[in-house]
Each structure stands twice: as structure tokens, then as C-alpha cells.
Amino acid sequence: MKVYRTACPLNCWDQCSFIVTVKDNTVISIEPDPAQKITGRFICAKGRKHISRLRRPDRLTVPLVKTASGFQPIPWPEALALAASKIKEALNRYGPLSLLHYYDSGHGGLLKNIESRFFSALGGCTVHKGSLCWSAGLAAQTYDFGAALSHALDDLYNSRLIIIWGRNPAATARHQLPFILKARQKGARLVVIDPLHTATAALADEHISPRPASDGALALGMAHLIIKEKLLDEAFIRERSSGFAAYRKMVEDYPPEKVAAITGLPVGQIIGLARLYATTGPAAILLGYGLQRHSNSGNTIRAIDALAALTGNIGVPGGGVSYANFQVAPYIDSSLLEGEDLKPQRRYYPKPCLAAALQHQLKDPPVQVAYISRANPLTQVGDSAALKQAFAAIPFKIVSELFMTDTAAADLVLPCTAFLEEEDLYYNSMSHCYLNYGPKIIDPPGQCRHEYEIMQALARELGATGFPQLPAEELLAKLILPLTREKGITLQQLKAGPLLLPGAKAVPWRHGPFATADGKFNFYAPAAENEGGTALPHYQAPRELSNSRLHQQGYRYWFVTPHPADSIHSAHRLPGEAKRPRVYLSPQLAEEHGLAQGDRARVSSPRGFLEAEVSLSPKIPPATVMVYEGWWEHSGAAVNNLTSGELTDLGNQAALYDCLCKIEKV
Ligand code: SF4
């Protein structure tokens, strides 16, 4: 038996540190590493599932090429030569912008990102801006504070009030929950704001359920009352903020009665929440990703940030508006990863609009070769029917994958290693500030290769001399050079176990200026205006949810697709792995449509449909249809057949929750 330390590579808030026990190249157990103080007591079922996933019989183990008679195995040298010849042909005929590089967060290893440098070494590529999951909130917090930083979880013990706004840690960030519950035991009041009655809402002292996408109006209405009743922190506003006068004037337009009409909340509840937040300090707000998946979400986050500034809940223990936590990332050499020194050409498109971009924008030159890794866009990007069509038109698609996902069924499939089969380094930008080294612990099955090795081989074939040919360990040491120089942490030290970033701030913005241009919290953000937005946060009705024409056509229900507890995006939806997909409805809505528990229902939007079994729940709001995200096409319940490829107001983020649907019995 041998015991190793590593970390969970999944795109999860928590990034647990693991102790892995191995015998004869077989993983015996994965347990929490007690040296990591946030996740050291337990890991979730998805973490334990790694063991069986790695040895599933349907794991891709040899390169495959698509032929007229289906996928055929192909030796690695031939697969690499084929990929290189297609890339070379595209480069010669159309130049580097005819190469599309699509990646996402399917694996959290640092080294995986070196693929970006590969394309820079070829002269550049077409690549996305923004994201499917969190960039509206990041843009908003960057305009307001200059960066997105979170309070340490144990700082919640200093809070007298905790507002969880659009986050469901009971399902998706399990390691946050013990901190929240302990803070509550210590006397903090817990309020959950969420249109859905989630598992976290069930634990709260108060659950406030506004209409979907009306949260921005709620925040502006709270600000209206806080200013009117002079419940402000005038010293903070005077000394640490800018643009307050314009903001004050703007929120005059959000009296509680108007906000009640928008949110569907009683006037008394809005007033009560505003007074509670302004008078029960320190008060912490924990923001979730669901909150920023609507067309108006960036400004929603900005309106909530402003509440904290109004009341002086910034830079104080127990306060803050915690969303993401970019404390470790500045100590990684991202320029080395991206290959900026190679002066690549780049053509950008907004990531959620991939289908529309391929059909209309990316024409000169047209995309000739797509390389996709750590991602399953045909399942996860909105308006997936349009995307499938657009993808089909790309002459050659290469996918590196563990399994034959909806996207992996491409022209050339390269089997890659999984996290225990490769060396890498892990850190988190969502919650805590721990770093973990992950050694290669077991041999991969068949002929799987690390993406870094695949890129090295392709770079040699293509004569791309700007791509490193160093061993992985040496490259990792180079990538963390800023960390070594400024914080004294070396790869050798990380090999001994998880390390907390020295000097990680438990209370961001406590001292010194904010990271904005004027060093202040920006109620009025010129940077937002310069980038095409509005300098003040504002409320705008959600584009599709308030579309009366669609309502008239029968699309009357909010189609919401939250993250489930049992899968990270589409990762744990392999055939036979997941339970059956379900459509969750309130009993009233089901009755209106003659549906009963267990019936099969068709849910459709103007873009597509899915079918699944009905599950009734009194916790689902009446005009809402909920299906968890991540289902593959074969399940019949691929949710992004229905969602759109539209953007939110800030950050090139997918507005996946701004979706109307209808429902009928099959
Ligand atoms: S999925 Fe999240 S909670 Fe589960 S083991 Fe991985 S990091 Fe931990």
C-alpha cells in the first residue's frame, strides 16, 4: 500500500485535499486530508466516485478516428500526424485564426492550461472571452472593488447576519455549510434569498423568494430605504467610496411599493430586510452563481455590492460580499501559460455565443480546425441544437477526453489521463486559498496521455519551438515562480502537503485602497461605462422572462437548470452512472397540465425541447419548471436544447436562466 496527497480536480467551490491509498496500481480509497482545514473532515460522493470512474470500461483508452463506418482505433503516431497535417493545412491556407481553441473547467489542474501557449506558439488562434458560469459576477465585482475577493469562511463567526443570496451550499458547496451553521449557533441570523426553496433555504431563519431575476430591483429598493432612513455608514461613504451622489439620486426611483410590484414580495418584507441588513452588522453576503445567470445579472451583483458599501460592511470582520476569491491566481505566471511573449494573433468571440459566432462572426477566416479539451460544449452551451449544426460545419474537430461525451464524437478523439494518472498543481479561485501538488499516482489505462504530452508531441510535429519541452515538474516550478519569489513557496514544499497561501486575507479590503482606478469603492464605475455598460448599477427587466410575445405563445414558465448535488456539470452523467432525469414541478402547475407524479412530460422553449419524468414538489414556485443541468443528449433531457446563447449584461456570461418554457404531457 502506498499513500499520496493530491486534490479534487472538479470544478467545485470546495477543491478538497485528498489522501489517496493505492495498491498494485489500483486506488483503494480516497479520503479527506486533515491538513486542509476547510475540507479536512469529509469529502462528497463525487469525490469518492473518482475511484470507479477511472476504471470504467467505457473509458477512452486509444486514439480514435471517425470514418464512414464509425470510430476506428488509430496508433498515436498516426493520430498526431493527422492532427498536425490538418493544423498545418489550416495555417498555410487561412492563418492561425482559423484554429479554434475551446476549453473549460472540466479539470482544475494548472498544467492543463498550457494548451493556450501551444496555440500562441503556432501564431495564435480564435478563442473565447467570458464564461458559461461566473463572469458576470466577476466583471461586476471588478468594476466595484477592482477585484473579486472573498472573506475566509471562519470569518463568518464574526457575522451577526448572514445573507446567502442565490447560493445553495447544502448541495453545491458542502464544506461551507459547517461554517455557516456554526456561525448561526454563535448567534448570527441566517437569511436565504432565492426564488427556489433549496436545501439551504430550509436551514434559514428566513427564506425570501423574489421573482426570478428581480434581485437587482430588491437590492436597489433596500438601498432606497437605507438612504431614506439614514441607516448609512457615512464615514465609509465619505472616505472609501466614490460616486455616491449619483447613486443616491438613482435609487430614489426604487421605493418599496415599486420594488414589491417587480419582485412579488410584500412591501413589509422588503422594508424589514433593508432594516435588518442595515442595523445588524457586521453582515456578510454570500453570492451564488445562479444569481448571475440572467440577462440583467451583472448589474444585480453591482446593486448588491453597493448595499455593503452603503452600510460599511466592507473591510470589516464578519462583513463583505463574497463571490469569488482571486488571491492565489496573481502568484501564477499566467503570461507563460498564455504565451504572450510569442505575440500571438487572437480573435475573440463571447463564449456563450459559440453557435452564433460560428454561423455569423467567425467567417474571415472560417474556422477549419477546432481543438476541444476539458469541456463538453455540445451539452453545456446554450441553444445546443444550433451549436451542433455550427459544429458540424467545422471541417476537422479534435477532442481530448476521458469518455465519449456528446462533444467527443468528433473527427479525432485523443484519450487523456485523469487526475491521479498525471502530475499537476491545484488551487482554488472560488473559495479558499489552499494550494495542492498532485503527483502521478497510478498508471493510466491503455494509451491515455496527459494533454501536456500531447501538445509537446504536436509542437514537435509542427516545429512550434515556443512550446516548452520540459518535464512537467520543471514547468510547474516555472509557473509558480511568482509564488516562490514573493511568498517563498516552492514545488518541493507543496509536495509535502496542502499549503495555505501565506498572507491570505481573511478580510479583504480592510486596509489600503481598493483596486479600482481611483482606489475607492465605485458606486459609479467609469470603467463599466468605458466598456459599454452603465456607470451606475441599475435594474432592467429580464429579456426573455418578460417577453410578452412569448407569454402569448404559451411560453409562460421559468425554466431553471441549477447544479445538482450529484454531478459537476455533465461530468457524472455517464450512461448507467446517473439516476433518471426528472422535471420538477409544483403540484398546482402539474394539475393545470393534467400531469401526475411519474408521468412523462415534454418541456419546450422556442429553441428546443426535452422529455423526462415528472416529480412533484411543493417547494418549486408555481410558474417554474426545474431540471438539473448536465444531462447528455442520450438521456433525452439535455437542458441546453432549451436555453439560449444570449449574454448577460456584463462579462460575456451565459444568460442560461433567462429562459421561458411550456410543458405538456407526452
Ligand atoms: S466535488 Fe467538491 S466537495 Fe466533492 S470531493 Fe470534489 S472538491 Fe470536494
Side-chain angles (χ1 to χ4, degrees):
M1 297 261 203
K2 277 193 164 179
V3 175
Y4 299 87
R5 296 181 120 146
T6 186
C8 185
L10 296 173
N11 184 22
C12 166
W13 285 95
D14 296 353
Q15 192 162 86
C16 296
S17 297
F18 286 164
I19 301 269
V20 180
T21 305
V22 172
K23 189 177 177 196
D24 300 332
N25 203 41
T26 300
V27 180
I28 307 293
S29 67
I30 298 183
E31 298 297 334
D33 185 343
Q36 213 270 46
K37 299 298 174 208
I38 309 291
T39 64
R41 281 188 296 160
F42 65 94
I43 61 171
C44 80
K46 289 163 293 200
R48 294 195 192 281
K49 260 187 211 171
H50 287 301
I51 302 177
S52 54
R53 277 171 68 79
L54 296 183
R55 290 293 177 261
R56 275 184 64 108
D58 51 357
R59 179 94 186 261
L60 296 169
T61 54
V62 291
L64 298 171
V65 64
K66 194 186 253 172
T67 68
S69 56
F71 285 99
Q72 300 296 334
I74 176 174
W76 267 108
E78 283 177 38
L80 293 167
L82 176 63
S85 74
K86 294 290 179 183
I87 291 172
K88 205 179 283 177
E89 204 178 298
L91 284 171
N92 290 343
R93 185 147 176 227
Y94 293 102
L97 300 186
S98 67
L99 306 175
L100 174 76
H101 181 206
Y102 187 98
Y103 61 91
D104 216 310
S105 310
H107 184 295
L110 172 63
L111 204 51
K112 300 276 181 183
N113 297 292
I114 198 68
E115 287 168 356
S116 297
R117 189 175 181 89
F118 169 76
F119 286 96
S120 297
L122 295 179
C125 65
T126 295
V127 70
H128 52 262
K129 277 197 289 199
S131 84
L132 304 180
C133 55
W134 68 341
S135 53
L138 297 182
Q141 293 221 311
T142 305
Y143 290 140
D144 296 339
F145 299 96
L149 305 177
S150 287
H151 284 232
L153 285 166
D154 58 5
D155 182 57
L156 289 172
Y157 304 153
N158 297 312
S159 305
R160 288 183 57 224
L161 172 68
I162 299 170
I163 297 181
I164 302 182
W165 207 324
R167 190 188 294 191
N168 184 13
T172 57
R174 298 273 305 281
H175 294 87
Q176 296 176 8
L177 208 56
F179 291 90
I180 294 164
L181 295 179
K182 189 167 168 190
R184 191 159 170 255
Q185 273 173 7
K186 286 171 171 273
R189 187 173 171 78
L190 179 61
V191 175
V192 170
I193 305 176
D194 200 316
L196 301 173
H197 192 93
T198 61
T200 306
L203 300 169
D205 296 299
E206 187 179 2
H207 172 213
I208 295 176
S209 177
R211 286 196 185 107
S214 68
D215 309 74
L218 175 59
L220 295 171
M222 289 169 68
H224 175 101
L225 195 99
I226 290 167
I227 293 172
K228 188 172 161 200
E229 296 194 351
K230 299 192 170 41
L231 302 174
L232 310 169
D233 185 328
E234 289 182 2
F236 181 92
I237 293 168
R238 191 175 54 246
E239 289 156 25
R240 300 200 67 195
S241 79
S242 61
F244 176 66
Y247 168 79
R248 178 173 55 196
K249 190 156 176 29
M250 184 269 298
V251 298
E252 279 171 11
D253 198 29
Y254 290 89
E257 297 72 22
K258 176 177 170 179
V259 171
I262 297 171
T263 58
L265 298 173
V267 167
Q269 194 170 35
I270 297 164
I271 294 173
L273 179 64
R275 286 184 184 147
L276 180 74
Y277 181 64
T279 60
T280 319
I285 297 178
L286 309 182
L287 298 177
Y289 300 139
L291 190 62
Q292 51 93 67
R293 287 205 175 105
H294 294 279
S295 54
N296 58 9
S297 292
N299 278 284
T300 296
I301 305 283
R302 291 201 60 210
I304 297 171
D305 289 346
L307 284 176
L310 268 187
T311 52
N313 272 305
I314 296 174
V316 293
V321 190
S322 293
Y323 174 70
N325 202 6
F326 279 81
Q327 297 208 44
V328 178
Y331 299 99
I332 302 296
D333 187 347
S334 57
S335 160
L336 175 56
L337 286 174
E338 293 291 328
E340 299 302 347
D341 52 306
L342 302 169
K343 308 229 176 323
Q345 293 180 52
R346 294 231 176 84
R347 175 172 63 172
Y348 293 103
Y349 68 93
K351 189 174 205 173
C353 310
L354 180 55
L358 285 168
Q359 284 165 342
H360 309 296
Q361 179 197 341
L362 307 174
K363 292 291 179 197
D364 185 20
V367 171
Q368 294 297 294
V369 177
Y371 179 87
I372 301 126
S373 75
R374 297 167 278 155
N376 186 7
L378 292 194
T379 301
Q380 293 305 103
V381 177
D383 200 2
S384 39
L387 183 56
K388 272 165 213 145
Q389 231 181 351
F391 244 56
I394 299 175
F396 197 75
K397 296 170 286 291
I398 307 166
V399 177
S400 84
E401 250 302 352
L402 299 172
F403 298 100
M404 190 58 92
T405 63
D406 290 342
T407 308
D411 299 292
L412 182 64
V413 191
L414 304 178
C416 62
T417 47
F419 82 115
L420 298 178
E421 301 159 359
E422 64 205 2
E423 182 177 21
D424 216 324
L425 194 123
Y426 304 90
Y427 69 91
N428 188 324
S429 295
M430 295 159 84
S431 176
H432 58 69
C433 296
Y434 276 91
L435 294 113
N436 275 267
Y437 170 77
K440 179 181 171 192
I441 294 173
I442 53 172
D443 293 326
Q447 301 171 22
C448 297
R449 291 193 185 179
H450 192 305
E451 280 95 339
Y452 178 42
E453 282 176 46
I454 297 173
M455 292 285 130
Q456 284 181 316
L458 279 175
R460 287 193 297 270
E461 293 259 353
L462 289 159
T465 51
F467 191 76
Q469 296 290 338
L470 305 167
E473 180 173 343
E474 277 179 49
L475 182 57
L476 281 173
K478 275 179 161 245
L479 288 170
I480 63 162
L481 258 184
L483 187 73
T484 306
R485 260 193 241 114
E486 294 172 46
K487 296 288 183 184
I489 294 187
T490 62
L491 200 61
Q492 278 314 110
Q493 284 168 294
L494 285 166
K495 283 183 177 180
L499 277 180
L500 186 63
L501 178 74
K505 292 187 178 72
V507 180
W509 315 118
R510 192 167 192 177
H511 308 291
F514 288 92
T516 49
D518 65 359
K520 310 261 182 161
F521 176 88
N522 282 192
F523 283 106
Y524 181 99
E529 199 164 38
N530 294 342
E531 290 169 24
T534 56
L536 287 170
H538 63 277
Y539 169 74
Q540 193 158 19
R543 240 181 340 249
E544 182 158 318
L545 297 188
S546 61
N547 182 327
S548 55
R549 187 179 49 79
L550 287 178
H551 279 264
Q552 281 159 13
Q553 290 170 6
Y555 299 106
R556 289 186 285 134
Y557 309 124
W558 180 38
F559 181 62
V560 63
T561 57
H563 289 192
D566 65 343
S567 179
I568 299 283
H569 305 302
S570 64
H572 303 91
R573 299 303 194 204
L574 291 159
E577 184 184 43
K579 292 179 197 149
R580 284 196 305 279
R582 291 201 160 87
V583 179
Y584 294 88
L585 301 177
S586 69
Q588 301 99 293
L589 187 64
E591 198 183 333
E592 258 180 57
H593 293 273
L595 288 159
Q597 178 81 20
D599 279 352
R600 199 156 172 82
R602 170 178 286 215
V603 187
S604 46
S605 81
R607 292 161 291 273
F609 71 92
L610 62 78
E611 290 183 3
E613 187 180 308
V614 168
S615 187
L616 301 184
S617 167
K619 293 181 175 175
I620 303 290
T624 301
V625 174
M626 186 183 103
V627 181
Y628 286 115
E629 63 135 14
W631 295 103
W632 297 13
E633 199 58 52
H634 70 80
S635 72
V639 298
N640 292 313
N641 287 342
L642 281 77
T643 60
S644 79
E646 296 282 321
L647 294 176
T648 58
D649 50 355
L650 302 178
N652 291 298
Q653 152 84 33
L656 294 174
Y657 286 6
D658 193 6
C659 183
L660 280 172
C661 71
K662 56 170 97 162
I663 185 161
E664 61 197 318
K665 191 167 173 170
V666 176

